[in-house]
Amino acid sequence: MERLNIGLIGWGTVGCGVIEILNSNSEILRKRLGVELYLKRVADIDLEKPRPVDVPMDILTVDANQILEDPDIDIVVELIGGTEPAKTFIRKALERGKHVVTANKALLAVHGNELFDFARKNQRIIAYEASVAGGIPFIKALREGLAANNIDTILGILNGTANFILTRMTETGVSFKDALKEAQERGYAEADPTLDIEGIDTAHKLAIAAAIAFNMPVSFDAVYKEGITNIDPLDIEFGREFGFQLKLLAIARKTSKGIELRVHPTFVPCDHVLAGVRGAYNAVYVHGDAVGNVMFYGLGAGMMPTGSAVVSDIIDLARDITHGASVRIPPLGSYEVEEAELKPIDELETSYYFRFSAVDQPGVLSKISGILGKYNISISAVIQKGRHVGGAVPIVMITHEAVEKAVRKALDEIDRLDVVRAKTQLVRIENLSGNGI
Ligand code: NDP
Ligand code: HSE
């Protein structure tokens, strides 16, 4: 075999990155693989749109079937995103004996179990390195590099857009809207940026990573999700006064009460390494019983970093194909994927930041703290600002560890007090010092 034929569907941001790498690094890749990676056809529904990377006219098509039905194509790269027609394209490719590379975490998080099953039945591979943490080889690390470990924690920043927005808001005070616009212009954001800012994209990635780490099916619906759209710059500022930085964290943790799967804005200590992860960078920790803590850091989005991950999958497949290996690594890294007990968010025990909006009069603080006491929520620090926001003053509290269910009940009661003028803001705090993370 002298060359492997690749068909790429989706000449967008990531597609351009892949084409650029295949072109500029073709010689290096040929030497590493012993075969040529040949881009035989590129499909996109819009061939008129200006793109940062050119493709010869004679390999372009608007019809993905020209790739899927071409018997000479060995590897189909799906980079259109979304559920349909991406899912149908992938199934069709597998049915026709092609291996598939995708970056489509939205699809895999919801339909991954079915698609992986289908790939297995067809003795073909779905490779998906770019679906989690962009340019960081995180899937490879989980499935291969850390395969010796009983993993109990994955914790980190998995969305470049959200981290970019929070960084810009924290460091330059730009509005949420302007920071989002800039992230979109840089090609970080999803076609529908709601996925980024509502924590859904992070949850897609966490569901995939947790399935590998904990030998369980991809369980996107079980991930608790909260985005950054309700974050007020005030909270970023107050958090800093308490020594915290705000991050959108993905957390998957084995506990004695089941596995926690959650995505939400989180305060982390300012001096913790995660606080220093800026812009579109991702950083994710894994804790394994043998290895201890390992951290992965790099660009989580963008044309070239994501292209790097996609091409690394093509390389893996090329090595498998040329050496006759069929399915060397099962999709989720395990032959026995089993349902796991999941811990509902209600049972979470953590510290909290509350910002109450209350009228500035004697006795308010005691009413609030009385209710917190009733629900066994202990206060570790409090500040009241003389600053009026919408006719009320912010009272900011940090708690010791409390149970989420009790916190919800307490806030519900507090928000009904006649001295409280707006819904209380809640941000969970992750104490990252105890276990070395
Ligand atoms: P883009 O929107 O930039 O590119 C998708 C391309 O596919 C567009 O050119 C689109 O055309 C085209 N397309 C849509 N439907 C079809 C179809 N039926 N047939 C052929 N072409 C089609 O997206 P990205 O490159 O940013 O993302 C691609 C995938 O990679 C997504 O799954 C995304 O989640 C994932 N990903 C993206 C990252 C990033 O940094 N951007 C990082 C990691 C993963 P048109 O524009 O006309 O709709
Ligand atoms: N929209 C995603 C992000 C792309 O911002 O992280 C990478 O998955």
Side-chain angles (χ1 to χ4, degrees), residues 9-14 43-46 49 51 79-81 85 89 103-105 130 187-188 190 301-302 306:
I9 311 175
W11 185 22
T13 304
V14 183
D44 197 286
I45 41 177
D46 183 351
K49 206 193 262 181
R51 316 275 174 176
L79 294 173
I80 63 174
F89 288 171
N104 196 337
K105 57 263 167 159
Y188 303 149
E190 295 303 311
T306 314

Side-chain angles (χ1 to χ4, degrees), residues 103 105 130-134 158-163 183 187-191 195-196 201-202 205 280 282 300-302 306:
K105 57 263 167 159
S131 68
V132 181
L158 289 177
N159 185 273
T161 302
N163 200 53
Y188 303 149
E190 295 303 311
L195 301 182
D196 297 298
D201 176 77
T202 307
K205 294 165 179 168
N282 284 191
T306 314

Side-chain angles (χ1 to χ4, degrees), residues 250-267:
I251 301 169
R253 192 177 267 144
K254 262 185 200 164
T255 75
S256 56
K257 293 180 184 164
I259 291 173
E260 289 175 6
L261 294 175
R262 51 192 171 102
V263 172
H264 49 71
T266 313
F267 277 128

Side-chain angles (χ1 to χ4, degrees), residues 207-225:
I208 295 168
I212 301 171
F214 303 144
N215 287 6
M216 60 191 255
V218 184
S219 308
F220 171 69
D221 287 343
V223 182
Y224 174 78
K225 311 161 194 77

Side-chain angles (χ1 to χ4, degrees), residues 56-100:
M57 278 306 291
D58 61 330
I59 70 162
L60 279 171
T61 175
V62 288
D63 181 10
N65 284 313
Q66 288 203 19
I67 289 174
L68 301 169
E69 287 167 9
D70 180 343
D72 291 336
I73 286 185
D74 304 289
I75 299 171
V76 171
V77 182
E78 180 279 303
L79 294 173
I80 63 174
T83 304
E84 284 297 353
K87 186 175 162 206
T88 303
F89 288 171
I90 290 177
R91 287 180 68 99
K92 233 174 160 178
L94 295 167
E95 255 171 357
R96 285 168 169 71
K98 299 167 195 323
H99 297 288
V100 170

